[in-house]
Amino acid sequence: MLTWFVIFDDGPSWAILITELPFAWLIFGLIEMLASKRKLLYYVIADAALTGILFSVFMYHKYYGVIATWHALQQVNQVTAVSNSVFSLMDPYYTLIFLDIVVLAWMLIRGRKELFQPERAPGAARSRRRMAFGAVVVASVGLCLFNILPNRASMNEHTKAEDMGILNYEAYALLDTGSEEELLEPEEVTQARIDELKGLQPSSSPAYFGAAKGKNVVVVQLESFQNFLIGLKLDGQEATPNLNRLAQESFYFDRFYQMVGQGNTSDAEFVVNTSFYIPESGAATMDYAYKDVPSLPKLLKAQGYDSATFHTNVVDFWNRRELYKAVGFDQFYDKPFFGEQDSVYFGADDEVLYAKTLDKLKEMDASGKPFYAQLISMTAHHPFTLTPEMPAGQELVLPERYEDTLVGDYIRSQHYADYAFGRFIEGLKQSGLWEDTLLVVYGDHQGLPIFSLDRKDKELMAEIFGHEYGYPDMINIPLMIASPGVTEPRRIETLGGQVDLLPTIANLAGASLDGQIHFGQDLLNATANLIPQRYYLPSGSFLGSGSLYIPGVGYEDGTRYALKYGQPADGASEDDYGRALELLRLSDSYMTALPEHGGAEYPSDSDSGQ
């Protein structure tokens, strides 16, 4: 029951007697049938296993908002690296889920003398008992199948788990080895078909084409940065003054959305650099990192660019070594390059990231060739409790009601991230790099998932937004593009997602995408968009026109959420729904058929860049 309280909005109901208990009856019936001694020990083991599954499911849900299956738990080694984030979400009452194990263990210890003694009942009585429990097992299997089979076609994983029962859903996910998606032959995936599904009419003379040709391209990915931070003030204090200034002075896209999955930050890197969607399940860096992928670094390399990526964590976290090989970065700079100085969470803080990266960018610029550099910030990471000290006068003084809350810690952490970013901008200008740079800045993914917030946090978010914090608010991230002589102060309300960055940058850099499959679109030359979502939202979810659509069992019982509060949640037709699913199928088909790159072999150089 506790798991249902945590995961499902309506909590448990009488239905769990039908959906959850039969699976437990099945396990315990098998113990009664097959074990003649040590039964209590087997009960403790079975109870611990089932409790462990349920505990993992609701803790994973608190962090990701996803019903975890064995596919997700295969990456548990990556999740343990963010254990501070996961365990910060625990409420003390969650430990009640282990109460029955404690009771059974106490009974086991108390009766340990009888543990290894066989049953003393007469043979006929034992046979009747086993037959009775055999009937329980058969009935339990029937009830489990009754819950599973009619609900297999449900698009929404939450709905599917609720209708099947969590334990039945986990068993179904474990035994269901095949994808429900029928992949296409790679030659069937054409740019014309993609453009048709998205309703695009490519222009022969797009605006801004080549406007930043030959300029260095610097892309900054901000950790956990949501769009509501832009312009936010608390008691008259700007939460992000430097990014506010950039948004006011450049192209600012305020209807821009995340498109990540289990890999979070690494998935954002993949989507931005490839203009493909994340896989059906799992992280892109696990499923696609060994592929030879069409990408932004390769596209710009054909234009004479060198490329490098900068991240203060170790490169093997989320398999980035292979990812960087797949997308074609010439160099990567990770923890050995940045060192342990001022370490926060996984590596050096953002000030170290920007300072050391700036020195390297000066070296790259001195070569006389243009460069593409991607910077991955990290200090503002969940649970947002390790914010470095800032100089006097730069700190953000939180209102008292924000103290000791996740929302308050988040805003304070992002205030530091903004401060460090502002110093980087100053460095670009002082070094002379600014005038010859196309700067692209965006958030990688949400920082305040709805499912992680307690009552007080939700009240604070409602205060900030002026309405209840919803899914469109959660996945909304900012995008800013700045380049002297190219961009001007302009708020652009074109709907966009991370998949659109590659074609937008390519257009500005004057790099033709003819012959390169991509699923995004140039945001400076489009007015409409269709953005499929995966993982953080149920399968079949998509953004289009003025709404976010989330399906139920199918399209008919789905829900539309307005992208802008107070406006109608229009669009999201059944045709849009079908086209969004087909776009995902095309991406999966093309990526699956790509050849592998043969493994990453980056030579070391003298300053630990690789």
Side-chain angles (χ1 to χ4, degrees):
M1 289 183 66
L2 178 60
T3 305
W4 280 61
F5 270 118
V6 174
I7 293 178
F8 300 116
D9 293 336
D10 298 330
S13 68
W14 64 268
I16 65 172
L17 297 175
I18 303 299
T19 57
E20 297 293 357
L21 287 184
F23 193 93
W25 294 340
L26 170 61
I27 300 299
F28 297 146
L30 288 172
I31 292 174
E32 289 293 337
M33 282 181 61
L34 303 176
S36 60
K37 56 183 179 180
R38 295 191 289 270
K39 281 186 182 179
L40 189 55
L41 175 62
Y42 296 138
Y43 271 115
V44 171
I45 293 172
D47 189 34
L50 295 180
T51 300
I53 291 170
L54 293 174
F55 180 74
S56 299
V57 166
F58 76 64
M59 285 306 301
Y60 197 93
H61 183 272
K62 284 287 288 184
Y63 187 67
Y64 284 104
V66 173
I67 307 292
T69 65
W70 73 278
H71 298 285
L73 295 178
Q74 282 180 308
Q75 308 304 329
V76 70
N77 61 317
Q78 306 294 338
V79 176
T80 55
V82 291
S83 56
N84 286 340
S85 293
V86 176
F87 287 108
S88 71
L89 300 173
M90 278 196 66
D91 284 318
Y93 74 88
Y94 289 0
T95 56
L96 292 176
I97 197 172
F98 299 106
L99 183 60
D100 55 338
I101 298 178
V102 174
V103 172
L104 284 175
W106 177 78
M107 293 172 60
L108 179 64
I109 294 170
R110 187 180 180 190
R112 60 186 179 276
K113 292 182 180 179
E114 291 80 25
L115 180 62
F116 297 100
Q117 295 181 10
E119 289 183 292
R120 295 188 176 89
R126 286 201 304 270
S127 296
R128 288 194 298 271
R129 180 184 177 90
R130 287 176 179 171
M131 288 179 63
F133 278 105
V136 169
V137 168
V138 171
S140 298
V141 170
L143 284 172
C144 289
L145 293 175
F146 175 78
N147 290 319
I148 291 172
L149 295 179
N151 297 303
R152 289 176 299 165
S154 177
M155 288 297 298
N156 188 316
E157 290 82 2
H158 273 71
T159 301
K160 186 182 290 187
E162 189 171 11
D163 291 342
M164 287 185 178
I166 293 173
L167 293 173
N168 288 327
Y169 176 71
E170 294 298 324
Y172 168 75
L174 178 64
L175 298 175
D176 183 37
T177 56
S179 169
E180 297 177 5
E181 186 179 54
E182 183 179 346
L183 298 181
L184 302 169
E185 294 298 322
E187 57 269 18
E188 297 180 75
V189 183
T190 65
Q191 196 61 49
R193 177 60 177 151
I194 295 168
D195 292 345
E196 179 187 6
L197 289 169
K198 298 194 72 174
L200 295 179
Q201 296 290 335
S203 172
S204 58
S205 55
Y208 294 99
F209 182 78
K213 188 176 182 63
K215 285 196 172 192
N216 300 320
V217 177
V218 176
V219 174
V220 179
Q221 180 170 293
L222 298 173
E223 172 65 35
S224 303
F225 199 95
Q226 292 182 225
N227 190 52
F228 78 87
L229 292 163
I230 302 298
L232 176 66
K233 290 185 178 181
L234 297 179
D235 287 355
Q237 305 167 94
E238 289 185 282
T240 57
N242 295 296
L243 285 158
N244 290 348
R245 190 176 308 113
L246 185 67
Q248 292 164 3
E249 297 174 351
S250 64
F251 290 163
Y252 167 43
F253 299 79
D254 63 348
R255 295 212 310 160
F256 191 72
Y257 294 87
Q258 70 174 48
M259 300 182 70
V260 301
Q262 185 184 12
N264 272 338
T265 298
S266 62
D267 276 349
E269 293 174 72
F270 169 82
V271 174
V272 166
N273 280 293
T274 65
S275 196
F276 283 87
Y277 305 122
I278 59 171
E280 186 177 12
S281 62
T285 50
M286 299 299 172
D287 288 12
Y288 295 157
Y290 297 93
K291 299 291 187 178
D292 189 3
V293 188
S295 69
L296 183 59
K298 294 174 184 176
L299 180 71
L300 293 178
K301 191 175 188 66
Q303 305 292 314
Y305 281 69
D306 291 331
S307 61
T309 182
F310 301 82
H311 185 29
T312 60
N313 197 358
V314 292
V315 73
D316 292 311
F317 186 54
W318 282 112
N319 204 28
R320 280 184 172 89
R321 185 186 302 272
E322 299 298 338
L323 170 66
Y324 296 154
K325 173 68 174 180
V327 300
F329 276 111
D330 295 321
Q331 297 279 322
F332 67 77
Y333 296 88
D334 67 331
K335 194 170 213 171
F337 173 73
F338 291 102
E340 299 283 352
Q341 176 188 355
D342 299 324
S343 184
V344 177
Y345 296 117
F346 310 109
D349 65 25
D350 285 356
E351 290 176 83
V352 175
L353 166 71
Y354 291 128
K356 289 197 171 185
T357 297
L358 184 60
D359 290 339
K360 182 57 64 175
L361 297 186
K362 293 175 187 176
E363 291 180 24
M364 295 175 71
D365 187 61
S367 72
K369 295 177 64 178
F371 61 79
Y372 164 43
Q374 184 172 38
L375 289 69
I376 311 300
S377 77
M378 192 174 62
T379 302
H381 195 285
H382 191 280
F384 316 113
T385 53
L386 299 179
T387 303
E389 291 186 9
M390 296 173 61
Q394 298 289 340
E395 309 97 326
L396 178 70
V397 180
L398 288 174
E400 185 176 352
R401 63 189 180 280
Y402 283 83
E403 290 289 355
D404 301 318
T405 66
L406 179 62
V407 173
D409 290 341
Y410 173 75
I411 294 173
R412 180 188 284 119
S413 183
Q414 294 295 0
H415 181 71
Y416 166 79
D418 175 83
Y419 163 75
F421 175 79
R423 294 189 63 182
F424 178 61
I425 296 298
E426 290 176 11
L428 288 175
K429 292 178 178 179
Q430 291 172 3
S431 67
L433 288 172
W434 176 256
E435 293 296 322
D436 199 32
T437 291
L438 172 65
L439 177 68
V440 179
V441 183
Y442 64 95
D444 61 354
H445 55 77
Q446 42 73 25
L448 294 173
I450 293 172
F451 16 86
S452 297
L453 304 183
D454 61 21
R455 180 185 56 80
K456 187 174 182 180
D457 287 317
K458 289 179 180 178
E459 290 174 354
L460 291 173
M461 293 303 285
E463 174 187 321
I464 289 170
F465 279 94
H467 60 82
E468 183 180 356
Y469 182 51
Y471 291 114
D473 307 315
M474 181 183 78
I475 64 172
N476 184 204
I477 55 177
L479 167 64
M480 286 154 279
I481 300 176
S483 184
V486 177
T487 60
E488 68 272 355
R490 182 180 165 197
R491 181 186 289 250
I492 301 174
E493 295 193 351
T494 301
L495 179 66
Q498 289 164 328
V499 75
D500 299 315
L501 275 178
L502 185 154
T504 303
I505 293 171
N507 178 64
L508 286 164
S512 173
L513 284 171
D514 290 346
Q516 179 165 324
I517 293 292
H518 56 282
F519 285 80
Q521 61 195 54
D522 173 16
L523 295 178
L524 296 172
N525 288 280
T527 56
N529 209 338
L530 182 64
I531 304 174
Q533 289 285 330
R534 272 178 166 165
Y535 200 74
Y536 277 105
L537 297 175
S539 296
S541 301
F542 67 92
L543 293 150
S545 185
S547 66
L548 164 65
Y549 173 82
I550 297 179
V553 173
Y555 174 79
E556 295 77 10
D557 60 341
T559 305
R560 293 177 180 83
Y561 299 87
L563 296 184
K564 185 169 287 189
Y565 182 75
Q567 294 189 1
D570 54 9
S573 67
E574 189 167 4
D575 178 63
D576 295 335
Y577 172 72
R579 289 188 291 117
L581 290 175
E582 182 65 6
L583 284 168
L584 291 172
R585 185 166 77 120
L586 291 178
S587 177
D588 294 343
S589 299
Y590 194 84
M591 287 298 305
T592 301
L594 284 175
E596 296 193 352
H597 58 62
E601 294 181 0
Y602 282 93
S604 298
D605 67 18
S606 59
D607 57 11
S608 299
Q610 297 184 327

